[in-house]
Amino acid sequence: DEGVGDSSGTSLNDSSSKHTIFIADSDSDMLEFVADCLKNTFNIRIFTSAEECWNAMITQRPSLVMCAEGMADMTGSALCERAKNERALERLPFILTTDGVLTQGELAIKNISLFADDYVPSPYNLQSVTARINSLLGEPNSEAPVMDDTTRGADAMTSAAKVQLQQLLDQYILQNIGR
């Protein structure tokens, strides 16, 4: 692998015609999985450190940032507020992933940033996330290519891939229920 757990922001592809998305999450396995699923649609940079993501945001100007609220070194809310208060980044679309569905009141009670452009409860549906990303980027709403299937094209998902995806999601949910 290409150092997916490396908090310095591993790039999974480098096509200049695609939007660059920064994804930050402390769960490196889930981070790698999500990035792998989205890499055919977007240029993906991944981070296991919110501070490293911030440093890259300043110098590389991504098209969008998606960050987990529960980062160890800085909450996703803090990263979002920091970006929205920086003149050069104030219009940067930001998706905050949260543990479960939260109302606006619950977001305020938990001191979760109301500056984010969208909120996605975790675990999330990758097609829904891709649609939200496309919407924030002003792109047409298209289905997410969730797995690479060279025999039928990047947009196809085989039944074996669906089973693998479901197993990975089930494993992730089981590992994170106690949080």
Side-chain angles (χ1 to χ4, degrees):
D1 262 8
E2 299 181 44
V4 169
D6 181 2
S7 65
S8 65
T10 303
S11 180
L12 295 182
N13 51 345
D14 29 2
S15 171
S16 59
S17 64
K18 298 178 191 176
H19 286 285
T20 298
I21 309 297
F22 284 9
I23 304 174
D25 196 314
S26 56
D27 183 338
S28 59
D29 291 334
M30 187 61 169
L31 184 64
E32 181 179 346
F33 174 73
V34 171
D36 192 51
C37 291
L38 297 177
K39 72 181 181 183
N40 291 326
T41 307
F42 306 106
N43 287 324
I44 301 294
R45 294 274 322 273
I46 59 174
F47 303 87
T48 55
S49 160
E51 189 64 40
E52 290 293 329
C53 184
W54 168 254
N55 291 335
M57 288 166 60
I58 294 296
T59 60
Q60 298 171 22
R61 306 283 198 259
S63 304
L64 180 140
V65 173
M66 185 167 98
C67 183
E69 173 59 19
M71 297 294 288
D73 60 338
M74 176 190 327
T75 65
S77 293
L79 180 62
C80 178
E81 287 184 47
R82 200 171 177 186
K84 297 297 183 176
N85 287 319
E86 180 74 28
R87 187 165 182 82
L89 299 173
E90 64 190 0
R91 296 183 187 264
L92 175 67
F94 201 102
I95 297 175
L96 193 62
T97 61
T98 60
D99 289 333
V101 178
L102 302 174
T103 65
Q104 289 287 65
E106 291 169 322
L107 291 170
I109 289 169
K110 293 178 182 249
N111 200 27
I112 295 175
S113 175
L114 300 177
F115 289 102
D117 299 286
D118 204 349
Y119 301 87
V120 176
S122 185
Y124 43 81
N125 175 296
L126 288 172
Q127 288 180 321
S128 174
V129 167
T130 301
R132 290 171 182 227
I133 290 170
N134 283 333
S135 175
L136 288 171
L137 294 174
E139 296 292 328
N141 232 358
S142 61
E143 283 196 32
V146 257
M147 296 299 245
D148 190 18
D149 179 1
T150 55
T151 61
R152 296 188 306 156
D155 292 333
M157 185 171 180
T158 66
S159 59
K162 287 179 185 177
V163 169
Q164 181 184 14
L165 174 62
Q166 187 61 52
Q167 289 171 341
L168 286 168
L169 287 174
D170 289 347
Q171 178 185 5
Y172 177 78
I173 291 167
L174 286 173
Q175 290 174 346
N176 292 288
I177 284 178
R179 284 189 178 178

